[in-house]
Amino acid sequence: MSPVLEVQGVTVRFDGFRALNDLTLSLEMGELRCIVGPNGAGKTTLMDVITGKSRPDTGTVRFAGRDITRLTEHAIARLGIGRKFQRPTVFPGHTVFENLELTTHGKKGVMRALFARLSPSDLRSIEQTLELIGLAEQRDRPAGLLSHGQKQWLEIGMLLVQRPKLLLVDEPVAGMTQHEIERTEQILASLAGMHTIVVVEHDMDFVRSIARTVTVLHEGSVLAEGTMRDVQNDPRVVEVYLGA
């Protein structure tokens, strides 16, 4: 089976500094991959390149067999790549249900989306997503009144209703309570297989709980890759990150 995502020899320079340095990475369909590394390792830049926010100086990015290196952010999103940033960006004045509805009709604009009719398929998708993210009982509550963790789950849901093939999630448990962290573990674990998921996270206990394969970045390159046990026992990783 061909990888769903292939990053090949990607280098990104900012004022002479190499944020990514000949980085190569591949993910299989349905995989859950955790990417870790110290600050400045290149994690955010990698996500920027995959989603089209940044252009590499050299190298290519292929998604589902297609070269997306020079495509716009919108074109890449339409191909099925969704990204969740660290800070949740929801519509606080609209209900949880309306937030999901607005995302389903995202191309119509906010006002037109609110008055657009949901298809049976879209309605089923929203109902299923509400159950999956644990917000079915909060469906009529304004998103601005949700807890931090609930807002994070809602934003994941807003991506899911767009049916992405690849989901990029940046530091999903930052600022969460222990209960919220455990629920986030369950949500992401349940998505693996249906979606390919990349999680960038600093909370190593959380990474241990969900990781199947871990990629460690350092100075813009892949330092190590394998199971959590593999990377924990790698002396290079201990030196530059886990042992710090």
Side-chain angles (χ1 to χ4, degrees):
M1 182 181 296
S2 299
V4 67
L5 178 71
E6 298 174 276
V7 179
Q8 298 177 327
V10 166
T11 295
V12 176
R13 298 181 183 89
F14 297 119
D15 297 324
F17 170 74
R18 293 193 178 196
L20 295 179
N21 184 19
D22 194 28
L23 187 147
T24 294
L25 177 77
S26 67
L27 280 84
E28 300 297 329
M29 183 69 73
E31 182 178 354
L32 194 163
R33 177 74 61 92
C34 290
I35 297 181
V36 303
N39 291 331
K43 303 183 297 295
T44 298
T45 304
L46 173 60
M47 297 177 82
D48 287 346
V49 168
I50 293 171
T51 56
K53 185 176 181 180
S54 294
R55 296 274 187 260
D57 294 288
T58 60
T60 59
V61 180
R62 300 185 68 84
F63 176 65
R66 177 174 177 176
D67 188 342
I68 64 170
T69 314
R70 303 296 168 185
L71 296 183
T72 66
E73 290 182 71
H74 293 300
I76 290 173
R78 285 195 296 269
L79 290 176
I81 296 180
R83 180 177 184 180
K84 186 209 162 304
F85 291 87
Q86 180 179 351
R87 291 186 177 182
T89 51
V90 300
F91 299 99
H94 294 292
T95 68
V96 169
F97 186 94
E98 288 171 344
N99 269 263
L100 298 175
E101 184 179 9
L102 286 166
T103 310
T104 302
H105 294 304
K107 298 177 184 179
K108 299 179 182 293
V110 173
M111 293 307 297
R112 288 183 63 192
L114 282 174
F115 291 100
R117 295 189 64 179
L118 288 169
S119 70
S121 175
D122 287 336
L123 184 57
R124 282 195 303 272
S125 177
I126 290 176
E127 296 291 353
Q128 291 169 357
T129 299
L130 283 168
E131 291 292 338
L132 190 151
I133 62 177
L135 295 180
E137 295 183 1
Q138 307 289 336
R139 58 186 293 145
D140 296 322
R141 191 178 191 193
L145 299 181
L146 298 176
S147 70
H148 171 70
Q150 290 172 326
K151 289 176 182 175
Q152 297 280 36
W153 304 335
L154 176 56
E155 189 169 25
I156 291 174
M158 292 166 69
L159 290 175
L160 291 177
V161 295
Q162 300 176 60
R163 301 178 179 90
K165 299 182 182 73
L166 173 63
L167 188 59
L168 308 177
V169 185
D170 191 4
E171 297 191 39
V173 299
M176 284 189 178
T177 66
Q178 185 58 40
H179 171 73
E180 290 172 336
I181 290 173
E182 292 170 359
R183 178 58 186 151
T184 304
E185 292 172 5
Q186 296 169 2
I187 291 171
L188 292 177
S190 71
L191 294 175
M194 295 184 293
H195 307 269
T196 303
I197 305 169
V198 176
V199 177
V200 171
E201 184 54 69
H202 286 292
D203 186 324
M204 298 311 297
D205 288 334
F206 177 74
V207 171
R208 287 186 191 94
S209 71
I210 66 169
R212 301 179 185 182
T213 303
V214 180
T215 297
V216 183
L217 300 188
H218 178 55
E219 296 181 348
S221 299
V222 174
L223 178 68
E225 192 169 274
T227 66
M228 191 64 185
R229 177 175 293 181
D230 290 337
V231 299
Q232 279 183 301
N233 293 330
D234 190 314
R236 300 169 301 168
V237 175
V238 173
E239 181 181 356
V240 306
Y241 186 58
L242 294 177

